[in-house]
Amino acid sequence: MTAPHSRPGEVAVIGGGPAGLMAAEIAATAGHRVTIYERMPSPGRKLLMAGRGGLNLTHSEPLERFVARYAEAAPWVNPILEAFPPNALIAWCEALGQSTFIGSSGRVFPRAMKASPLLRAWLARLDALGVRLITRAHWTARDADGTLHFADGTTHRPDATILALGGASWPRLGADGSWATALPGVAIVPFRPANCGFAVAWSAPFCTRHAGTPLKRIALHHQGRTIRGEAMVTNAGLEGGAVYALSAPLRDAIARDGTTTLAIDLRPDLTEPELARRLAAPRGSASLSSHLKRHANLPPVAIGLLQEALHQGNNTALATLIKAVPVTLTAPFALDRAISTAGGVKLVEFDRHQMLTRHPGLFAAGEMLDWEAPTGGYLLTACLASGRAAGHGAVAWLASR
Ligand SMILES: Cc1cc2nc3c(=O)[nH]c(=O)nc-3n(C[C@H](O)[C@H](O)[C@H](O)COP(=O)(O)OP(=O)(O)OC[C@H]3O[C@@H](n4cnc5c(N)ncnc54)[C@H](O)[C@@H]3O)c2cc1C
């Protein structure tokens, strides 16, 4: 809750992504003079990129299940999501003139299915609140007395600073993780790709024939977890929604064991005995591909995957193989292609107001913190909720001085 304050303070927000813009909105609404410093020529570039996929803002599932998506970070995210739950996010979005809808998967999107109208309305609101936005301002360091340094040699000494510098994926959009060296004494968990694809050593014929082809209506199994959905075969491996959903355990298994094996169910709607019954039909002079196509109704890319396994000497019965064709993943794709970043400022570095305990007056929010979540709106929701928490934290801290 915002504490009362007697005089307005100067609040610097560094980073003009969703977390920073939300922190700025809260501090300005409480009456403080807020300046956003953004290194790029314009703010919200990753938000705009997220809008290209429809802008999945949040999810409509019950809050308890929602919070569980953050795995080990659930205890940290729980209070900030209770203060700003998905329905509050939806109300906030609609107050900016962007009506929303719930898709068939329970995911929530703006009706516009893009981020630009939301960002435009939001920047106009911030402008009306008196928030200053300085672009091409690359923050490089903060002194113990709170003085901020920028790459062009300028300095500024606000009363409170909120960092919302993002993770390290898609660096061309502004967040490149270079801030990690600018926070001496703060424990930072190394950055790792999250919601990413994985390398697979496909054979040359498979690659030539199937790279760029989606695997639709499949189920992925990995170490006790199952995800239904789609994946995309690429030259380098596998990516897409179902793979992203398993990316944290896949990435961690590869880090631990060197490689990991994903089992792909190519016909999740059919049982193995049913497949075996269908495939028992006499093959005659038909090729294996024609037989699989005719009796298991498999597309060429799925047949290609089975042939990859058979060429590698796998002699499992065909029906069993269709239900769990093994694919060995050798490495996650590079961080700069990942949708989000795992790692960042350790959550134990904060108090309950998102203030770095070793740096009084310095707050942090968004993807730069050490949490991760699957796609489904969980990323933006936690960025906005933590930006809001950091904004309120700064307001309360200024009031207490
Ligand atoms: C392709 C793609 C699709 C996505 N789709 C979705 C989706 O549908 N739903 C969802 O929930 N999430 C989605 N995300 C993730 C989501 O966009 C991010 O999690 C979110 O933008 C992170 O917000 P943030 O404010 O923490 O960081 P960012 O949005 O990265 O903003 C950080 C800002 O800080 C600035 N900055 C960094 N360093 C400095 C510095 N030293 N000085 C000054 N400024 C600096 C950067 O330029 C940047 O503008 C997607 C991401 C990608 C890449």
Side-chain angles (χ1 to χ4, degrees), residues 94-399:
E94 301 208 338
L96 283 169
Q98 297 306 304
S99 57
T100 59
F101 72 97
I102 302 176
S104 53
S105 58
R107 295 172 180 222
V108 178
F109 299 87
R111 285 209 180 276
M113 290 296 279
K114 55 184 177 178
S116 43
L118 175 69
L119 182 59
R120 240 188 337 267
W122 197 3
L123 292 175
R125 175 188 281 179
L126 293 176
D127 190 50
L129 285 167
V131 173
R132 281 204 312 153
L133 170 64
I134 304 183
T135 54
R136 297 189 166 88
H138 185 168
W139 170 73
T140 53
R142 180 181 181 267
D143 296 337
D145 69 356
T147 304
L148 303 174
H149 294 262
F150 293 86
D152 64 359
T154 55
T155 59
H156 177 61
R157 193 177 160 191
D159 300 309
T161 296
I162 301 167
L163 300 177
L165 303 162
S169 73
W170 286 69
R172 70 184 170 84
L173 301 175
D176 63 358
S178 58
W179 52 263
T181 53
L183 288 174
V186 174
I188 293 173
V189 179
F191 298 130
R192 283 153 297 143
N195 295 300
C196 57
F198 288 84
V200 181
W202 303 126
S203 70
F206 178 84
C207 217
T208 312
R209 192 133 183 247
H210 301 296
T213 313
L215 280 159
K216 297 191 173 177
R217 292 180 292 281
I218 53 163
L220 303 183
H221 301 285
H222 182 254
Q223 298 181 352
R225 293 181 176 87
T226 297
I227 300 289
R228 276 188 177 232
E230 287 191 21
M232 174 67 82
V233 172
T234 74
N235 270 323
L238 266 184
E239 59 185 22
V243 180
Y244 298 160
L246 282 173
S247 63
L250 292 172
R251 179 198 65 216
D252 295 346
I254 292 172
R256 194 183 53 241
D257 306 328
T259 62
T260 199
T261 300
L262 192 59
I264 306 183
D265 183 346
L266 299 168
R267 286 302 311 263
D269 50 331
L270 290 183
T271 62
E272 190 179 319
E274 172 59 14
L275 275 167
R277 191 190 64 73
R278 293 185 184 199
L279 290 168
R283 186 166 141 192
S285 60
S287 68
L288 179 62
S289 301
S290 313
H291 189 68
L292 285 167
K293 186 169 177 225
R294 178 147 178 234
H295 295 288
N297 197 18
L298 291 175
V301 61
I303 295 170
L305 271 182
L306 293 170
Q307 283 169 335
E308 285 281 277
L310 296 172
H311 287 151
Q312 284 159 14
N314 192 321
N315 54 8
T316 313
L318 270 180
T320 314
L321 203 54
I322 291 170
K323 293 298 287 174
V325 60
V327 174
T328 302
L329 311 182
T330 56
F333 284 170
L335 177 56
D336 60 2
R337 286 182 57 190
I339 297 226
S340 60
T341 307
V345 178
K346 259 193 169 172
L347 299 177
V348 292
E349 295 283 340
F350 299 106
D351 68 8
R352 66 192 175 85
H353 295 301
Q354 304 274 128
M355 186 167 82
L356 289 159
T357 42
R358 286 174 228 217
H359 297 267
L362 183 62
F363 300 77
E367 206 180 304
M368 67 180 291
L369 313 184
D370 177 30
W371 57 273
E372 66 178 305
T375 56
Y378 307 103
L379 300 166
L380 280 173
T381 304
C383 288
L384 292 166
S386 66
R388 187 178 174 278
H392 282 302
V395 170
W397 188 76
L398 288 171

